[in-house]
Amino acid sequence: MAVKKKKTEQNKRQAVKSAPRTYKKAADKKAAPAKVRPAEKKREPIRKPNGLMAQLMPFVLGVSAVFIGVCLLVTGVGVIGTFIKNVLFGLFAGGAYLLPLFLIAAAFMWHKDSENDMIPWKILCFVLSFVLVTVLFHFFAGGLSTFVPAEHYAAGLACTGGGVVGGILGELMMTGFGRVLSLVLVCPCLFVFTLLMFSVTPRSLWVRVVY
């Protein structure tokens, strides 16, 4: 029995030695780790503003600017035109003349701002800048020292003060800070918000001026 076992073991060893090398190569290939290709960077698609609103808003803002400008500057604009003019003067006084310019600027920058998802922030900057302009009109155009909206509205129709918006806010600031401190607060804020309206930061402006 021991002799038979030895013979069988010898036969197995000979069979392994005589086996073709292809099996070893195949086994080596299976055991070899697969080459991992470096991950390719995915290019992010450029976002383009789609939708009817994004395409029409510059046109709407431009037409609104022309319409409001005609209402403010031209006589004989009918009942509706006169009503719009009185409301704008009553709310903003002389600042109403700058409203068409703000709308035109917004129309030119709308497409780029919509691509960069900056529309909400730009609207905020436009509103704050325009309101601060009306406050300056209240300070320098003979605004009334009262908190009664009807009196500011009547003064605004005569282009006196800052209208209801500028008059009330201006009087609140005058009461809390006085004229000098109010100007110290309003002028820098107006300057910064105006820069941001045109996508310019104070730092970038400083770099352009100095360097």
Side-chain angles (χ1 to χ4, degrees):
M1 294 294 292
V3 174
K4 289 183 178 180
K5 287 182 179 179
K6 288 181 180 181
K7 288 182 178 180
T8 54
E9 290 177 357
Q10 290 177 356
N11 293 332
K12 287 181 180 178
R13 290 176 182 175
Q14 290 178 357
V16 170
K17 290 180 179 179
S18 61
R21 294 182 180 179
T22 55
Y23 292 101
K24 288 185 179 181
K25 291 182 180 179
D28 292 338
K29 288 182 180 179
K30 291 181 180 178
K35 294 182 180 180
V36 180
R37 294 182 180 179
E40 296 180 356
K41 294 182 179 180
K42 294 182 178 180
R43 295 181 180 179
E44 295 182 357
I46 300 174
R47 297 185 60 185
K48 294 184 179 180
N50 296 319
L52 186 62
M53 184 63 68
Q55 303 298 326
L56 286 180
M57 278 307 297
F59 176 76
V60 172
L61 291 172
V63 172
S64 301
V66 174
F67 181 81
I68 292 173
V70 171
C71 290
L72 296 176
L73 298 174
V74 178
T75 57
V77 290
V79 178
I80 296 177
T82 304
F83 174 77
I84 293 173
K85 177 172 66 175
N86 291 337
V87 169
L88 291 177
F89 278 134
L91 293 177
F92 310 117
Y97 287 115
L98 299 178
L99 184 57
L101 299 180
F102 276 76
L103 293 176
I104 290 173
F108 276 106
M109 293 184 291
W110 186 273
H111 184 74
K112 183 178 179 180
D113 292 337
S114 61
E115 285 182 348
N116 298 327
D117 292 332
M118 294 293 293
I119 294 298
W121 296 105
K122 286 300 184 70
I123 292 175
L124 179 63
C125 291
F126 272 87
V127 172
L128 292 176
S129 299
F130 185 72
V131 169
L132 292 177
V133 167
T134 62
V135 172
L136 290 180
F137 269 90
H138 176 74
F139 290 159
F140 295 105
L144 301 177
S145 298
T146 179
F147 289 98
V148 180
E151 295 184 11
H152 287 292
Y153 188 89
L157 293 176
C159 286
T160 302
V164 176
V165 176
I168 298 296
L169 292 177
E171 279 304 304
L172 287 174
M173 296 189 71
M174 290 277 285
T175 303
F177 301 103
R179 185 181 182 87
V180 176
L181 285 180
S182 297
L183 290 174
V184 170
L185 291 174
V186 171
C187 292
C189 290
L190 177 59
F191 178 71
V192 172
F193 288 135
T194 304
L195 289 179
L196 295 177
M197 277 170 44
F198 297 96
S199 302
V200 179
T201 62
R203 182 180 181 278
S204 63
L205 179 64
W206 174 262
V207 171
R208 291 178 185 178
V209 172
V210 174
Y211 300 102

